[in-house]
Amino acid sequence: MELTPRLYAIAAKVPQGARLADVGTDHGYLPVWLLLHGRIETAIASDLRKGPLDRARETAQQYGQDKNISFRMCNGLTDIAADEVDTVVIAGMGGETIAAILAAAPWTDRDKLMLLQPMTGMPQLRQWLQRHGYAILEEQIVQEGKRLYSIWTVKGGAMPLLSPAELWAGVNRPGPLRLDYLSMIEEKVQKALEGQLAAREPNHASIAELEAVLLGLLEMKKELIQVTNVGEVFAFLQKKAPFELQEDFDNAGFLLGREQAPVSKILVALDITEEVVQEAAEQGAQLIVAHHPVIFGGLKSVTDQTITGGILLSLVEHRIAAICAHTNLDAVEDGVNDALALRLGLTEIGQLRQTGVDQQGRPYGIGRVGLVPEQSLYDFAMAAKRLLGANGIRLVDGGKPVHVVAVGGGACADFMADALAQGCDTFVTSDVKYHQFLEARAMGLNLVDAGHFPTENVICPVLQNWLAHRFPQVSVSVSQRHTEVFSYL
């Protein structure tokens, strides 16, 4: 079971072992997911209508969790006692409805954690919470499709008086989606103001309040716009994956652009292709951070007569800079190979071939080794295909079950001897040549070629996470257009 980004963000905030009430549960996805992942042992799922509650019960039965959930058809929390729960989720409702549910259950302001996700009426709900002894501890903005949602962590307690703008948009805190969220709220306030101004009998008090909100939102935006430049992003990546660790043949680094150019949006991609450049341009990104170098080999001219030349011209024409972290990112801790090992579910992860330690004392080298529960090669390969999103898998059976696994993102079949020396029965990599498959079978090593793109694209979400946390004022996204190039018949 997979949750939507909105529900996943809510699930991440539910404490381990919580006694949960999911109000307005609809399909029951949240409590079932939490039960499946061992986060909670029991839950209460409530809904006002029979249809949604029946759908929730069907979901729980499908995943074998119906005995761990108490299903209650009731209005909000009216059929739930205070001593039954310590965490309450109310998501996907209007703010005034949420306020009414809490007002009917006054025990919620005493030692209860509430995770609220209002769809409308945010100013009214914030004001109600403020006046009735609740404190908003945190607001997280989550994007799902083209929509932005705000998820509130609330407990009983006092909170400072909110300004008109804060009632609409919450307390101003840096975050990758905060500016976009403020723009969304600004658009709503502007429409409300235009409606008041066009009314036959305008409410002048409301007009003055909405104008004050717009001024406050403008000040919030000014607070967040801290200029980041390309050089600062490169310096950060240098600390995470020192570029001097790259292989001699490589060309990783700051490859195109102006160091002092401001950056408000970054696109992350495995490769810089024409499609990726166009995607970045449409998003208004000033920088692409990629894994594979956009300039490789002896480039002697930049014209539209070559593929690389055309890409570089597009970057220049759209004023988009390029930073590429390649074999240095393969080798460092938390880089490509750690991301690949984690995606495949390996535990007790260690180095496959350690090259050395960097200036900060961190070991680096290509490849990783770890453990998976013993299983057949077929089961492991099918799981790898699914986890990596590969269009196909090539493999040779070395005659052993899978337990000790080596991974090497990209073309790393030359490391088969290292895998055997570490006691591995299986090696996952890509771009395997025919003779290497023959050698692996002769050596008794399961060799899985999961494709270059799937084994390395796992680093893109990692890069996005690094950059978004270091530069919260910058919007960072992963390319949606650059996908696996291979098809299998």
Side-chain angles (χ1 to χ4, degrees):
M1 168 185 282
E2 292 187 5
L3 296 179
T4 63
R6 178 177 65 96
L7 286 180
Y8 184 81
I10 295 171
K13 295 179 182 298
V14 175
Q16 183 71 36
R19 293 177 295 141
L20 177 73
D22 183 25
V23 179
T25 191
D26 197 5
H27 287 82
Y29 295 135
L30 180 67
V32 170
W33 188 93
L34 290 166
L35 286 163
L36 289 172
H37 287 77
R39 296 282 300 281
I40 61 175
E41 294 183 1
T42 60
I44 298 171
S46 74
D47 206 286
L48 183 61
R49 296 168 298 160
K50 183 177 183 298
L53 202 63
D54 286 343
R55 289 195 294 270
R57 188 178 283 108
E58 289 170 6
T59 300
Q61 290 171 345
Q62 178 184 352
Y63 290 95
Q65 298 298 328
D66 50 306
K67 293 182 180 179
N68 298 318
I69 301 177
S70 174
F71 298 93
R72 302 185 190 180
M73 191 166 70
C74 61
N75 187 357
L77 293 160
T78 55
D79 194 32
I80 299 173
D83 60 359
E84 290 185 284
V85 299
D86 53 39
T87 303
V88 176
V89 172
I90 311 177
M93 299 184 191
E96 293 178 348
T97 300
I98 294 174
I101 290 172
L102 296 178
W107 49 265
T108 52
D109 69 357
R110 296 186 291 275
D111 300 321
K112 306 297 180 186
L113 174 69
M114 282 158 291
L115 302 173
L116 311 180
Q117 186 269 297
M119 301 293 286
T120 58
M122 279 79 86
Q124 293 82 359
L125 180 56
R126 287 191 184 92
Q127 191 167 64
W128 188 92
L129 292 170
Q130 181 176 260
R131 289 176 175 175
H132 290 83
Y134 295 85
I136 302 174
L137 307 181
E138 179 192 15
E139 295 191 26
Q140 180 185 354
I141 301 163
V142 175
Q143 184 169 10
E144 187 171 301
K146 295 183 178 180
R147 298 195 63 174
L148 296 175
Y149 300 91
S150 184
I151 299 165
W152 306 358
T153 303
V154 176
K155 275 196 165 186
M159 67 175 161
L161 189 67
L162 298 176
S163 70
E166 288 172 336
L167 286 173
W168 276 83
V171 175
N172 211 25
R173 297 184 179 94
L177 295 172
R178 180 64 178 172
L179 276 173
D180 291 336
Y181 185 74
L182 290 176
S183 295
M184 182 188 76
I185 298 298
E186 186 178 31
E187 185 178 339
K188 290 184 177 181
V189 176
Q190 187 64 47
K191 286 182 179 179
L193 179 58
E194 290 170 359
Q196 285 289 345
L197 291 172
R200 287 188 176 183
E201 297 182 6
N203 185 321
H204 295 290
S206 295
I207 289 171
E209 182 180 336
L210 291 170
E211 288 175 339
V213 172
L214 286 174
L215 286 173
L217 292 173
L218 181 61
E219 290 303 313
M220 285 183 174
K221 282 186 168 184
K222 288 180 179 178
E223 288 176 11
L224 292 174
I225 301 174
Q226 306 167 11
V227 177
T228 298
N229 61 42
V230 174
E232 290 172 336
V233 176
F234 180 69
F236 167 70
L237 291 172
Q238 166 67 21
K239 290 181 180 178
K240 297 292 287 187
F243 286 85
E244 60 269 18
L245 302 184
Q246 65 181 288
E247 300 288 337
D248 292 341
F249 66 85
D250 204 1
N251 190 41
F254 173 27
L255 301 186
L256 188 144
R258 296 185 182 276
E259 185 177 12
Q260 296 302 315
V263 174
S264 62
K265 290 189 176 182
I266 300 173
L267 182 65
V268 175
L270 190 68
D271 302 275
I272 301 180
T273 64
E274 281 281 8
E275 292 79 11
V276 169
V277 176
Q278 186 61 37
E279 184 179 6
E282 290 174 8
Q283 292 182 8
Q286 301 89 0
L287 172 63
I288 298 174
V289 174
H291 181 48
H292 292 133
V294 66
I295 302 173
F296 211 99
L299 187 66
K300 295 184 178 180
S301 64
V302 178
T303 72
D304 61 0
Q305 302 304 300
T306 65
I307 293 173
T308 299
I311 293 170
L312 294 173
L313 287 172
S314 292
L315 287 167
V316 172
E317 288 161 359
H318 288 104
R319 297 186 177 183
I320 300 172
I323 297 174
C324 302
H326 191 208
T327 52
N328 55 317
L329 193 56
D330 288 328
V332 296
E333 283 186 335
D334 302 323
V336 172
N337 286 289
D338 279 305
L340 177 57
L342 290 170
R343 179 68 65 86
L344 293 175
L346 273 62
T347 60
E348 300 183 35
I349 299 169
Q351 294 276 341
L352 175 60
R353 180 195 288 180
Q354 183 172 330
T355 305
V357 294
D358 64 17
Q359 293 183 347
Q360 300 177 53
R362 301 172 299 187
Y364 68 90
I366 301 295
R368 297 292 183 268
V369 175
L371 303 178
V372 297
E374 188 169 306
Q375 57 197 278
S376 72
L377 177 60
Y378 176 83
D379 289 342
F380 176 78
M382 290 301 292
K385 179 182 177 182
R386 175 178 54 82
L387 292 167
L388 298 177
N391 289 340
I393 295 272
R394 299 190 303 153
L395 72 161
V396 68
D397 191 340
K400 300 173 184 174
V402 178
H403 180 51
V404 185
V405 179
V407 299
C412 292
D414 290 341
F415 289 71
M416 286 192 295
D418 298 274
L420 286 169
Q422 294 248 26
C424 296
D425 46 65
T426 305
F427 189 16
V428 180
T429 185
S430 74
D431 300 347
V432 178
K433 297 178 181 178
Y434 175 70
H435 76 272
Q436 292 170 325
F437 276 123
L438 290 174
E439 290 171 2
R441 186 173 64 180
M443 292 187 292
L445 178 68
N446 301 319
L447 185 57
V448 178
D449 184 334
H452 203 113
F453 181 91
T455 60
E456 291 194 328
N457 198 54
V458 290
I459 194 58
C460 288
V462 175
L463 285 169
Q464 180 190 31
N465 188 53
W466 286 357
L467 294 165
H469 279 81
R470 172 59 183 83
F471 303 103
Q473 70 277 20
V474 175
S475 173
V476 187
S477 59
V478 174
S479 173
Q480 298 301 303
R481 295 187 190 174
H482 187 39
T483 57
E484 171 68 279
V485 68
F486 290 111
S487 297
Y488 294 86
L489 299 179

